[in-house]
Amino acid sequence: MIQNGVDSAPRLPHGSGAPQYVRIDGVPHHVRVDGAGPLCVLSPGLGMCWFDWDRVVPLLAPWRTVVRFDRPGLGLSAPARSWPTLRSEARRIGQVLDALGLDRPATVVGHSLAGFHAEAFARLHPERTAGVVLVDSSVEEDPRPLGAGPARQTATRAWVTLLGAAGVPRALLPLLRRAVVRASRASGGDPAPYDLVRSTYSTRRALHAILAENATYIDEAIELAALRRELPLPDVPVTVLAAGATRWLDRQRALAAHLGGAFRVAEPSGHMVMMDRPKDIADAVLELGTA
């Protein structure tokens, strides 16, 4: 059925955490819903999947309805039909909630690149936002265009074709994912089982999604800068939770000040705060209150 422009499945049962699928703009999206109570959406960073929040969900589910989803091409979601933009990613959050029949305000949690999406959602949909938590969010104070977007898209498609034909997704992408996670933590490796990483990262669709998010990163930063000039942030609580990396803290602190939000440091933690300090994220969400 179609609701508010969303190609939606019937209302799905909540609380099981089992894989579910909703169709948005013709693309099947993998979603997980856990717990009960006020609504919370967890959105991972560039190229990441639903299971990257696995250490956070058990800390929230006793008190929150926790929604996770894979963006197109990532995790268990089908490939995208269009290139990502800031507005389309912010809209996607609302479309997922609509498809699940969840229309009450949500606390939106965005990690890294998804910090752009969480802030944009709040500005575009203030009536649907109960709070915002930015987890070591991407920050671009003065983003500048990198050249023609169509040229970058063409180059991305060419790289996907070339690397896919060479077998790179199956041979190297899971290993690269694990290496990036290990390098982005204060200690420890990738907590996700290797079989799960291999099954979700060994495909051309995953490679395309990751390269597309990387190629359009600066475009989304430019969109966010424009959106900040157009629309105010709603009067909701905001927390910026930064990883304890010295070179990054000043920019995260400035982001919190710009948004009028609270600033906290997850210590010790690398960029993968959800793996190093899951309780810090859960505490930040729970302390925002119960909208």
Side-chain angles (χ1 to χ4, degrees):
M1 59 183 173
I2 306 296
Q3 295 180 341
N4 300 324
V6 178
D7 185 0
S8 162
R11 184 177 297 228
L12 299 168
H14 299 158
S16 66
Q20 305 174 21
Y21 292 86
V22 297
R23 189 175 293 273
I24 297 171
D25 296 333
V27 178
H29 285 59
H30 168 238
V31 300
R32 302 273 175 135
V33 183
D34 295 88
L39 187 57
C40 173
V41 179
L42 305 178
S43 189
L46 192 155
M48 299 180 71
C49 300
W50 90 94
F51 53 76
D52 290 309
W53 295 105
D54 276 356
R55 294 186 173 187
V56 178
V57 171
L59 304 176
L60 286 174
W63 299 279
R64 294 290 186 273
T65 299
V66 183
V67 177
R68 296 173 283 170
F69 66 95
D70 290 324
R71 293 188 293 274
L74 299 171
L76 300 178
S77 289
R81 295 185 174 182
S82 58
W83 290 85
T85 68
L86 182 72
R87 287 178 182 263
S88 69
E89 295 307 325
R91 184 172 66 250
R92 192 183 315 281
I93 295 171
Q95 289 174 311
V96 167
L97 297 178
D98 287 342
L100 292 169
L102 298 170
D103 57 1
R104 57 190 185 274
T107 296
V108 185
V109 182
H111 169 251
S112 193
L113 171 65
F116 288 170
H117 307 161
E119 182 185 339
F121 178 83
R123 292 181 185 275
L124 290 166
H125 304 285
E127 75 288 350
R128 303 193 68 172
T129 306
V132 178
V133 177
L134 303 180
V135 181
D136 216 40
S137 177
S138 295
V139 180
E140 296 293 337
E141 295 86 353
D142 186 24
R144 303 294 178 87
L146 291 178
R152 277 180 278 130
Q153 293 174 13
T154 298
T156 298
R157 283 192 290 266
W159 275 110
V160 171
T161 299
L162 178 65
L163 296 175
V168 168
R170 179 171 296 276
L172 295 180
L173 201 55
L175 297 176
L176 179 60
R177 138 83 196 205
R178 291 179 84 77
V180 169
V181 168
R182 186 181 304 110
S184 303
R185 296 192 60 191
S187 61
D190 188 346
Y194 183 68
D195 285 349
L196 182 58
V197 171
R198 184 175 58 190
S199 67
T200 50
Y201 281 87
S202 296
T203 63
R204 287 196 188 195
R205 63 178 172 80
L207 176 64
H208 184 273
I210 293 167
L211 293 181
E213 289 196 338
N214 185 70
T216 56
Y217 169 85
I218 200 65
D219 300 321
E220 293 194 21
I222 291 170
E223 283 188 81
L224 182 59
L227 195 61
R228 286 172 172 171
R229 294 189 293 268
E230 297 170 14
L231 296 173
L233 199 65
D235 185 19
V236 298
V238 176
T239 295
V240 174
L241 180 64
T246 303
R247 66 179 181 82
W248 188 242
L249 287 182
D250 287 345
R251 298 175 72 190
Q252 294 287 303
R253 187 179 289 108
L255 175 63
H258 178 77
L259 300 178
F263 175 70
R264 294 186 179 180
V265 178
E267 183 68 40
S269 176
H271 185 53
M272 301 299 181
V273 183
M274 67 277 281
M275 302 174 193
D276 284 335
R277 304 285 298 182
K279 187 174 184 299
D280 288 1
I281 297 176
D283 288 346
V285 171
L286 295 174
E287 290 173 11
L288 290 189
T290 55

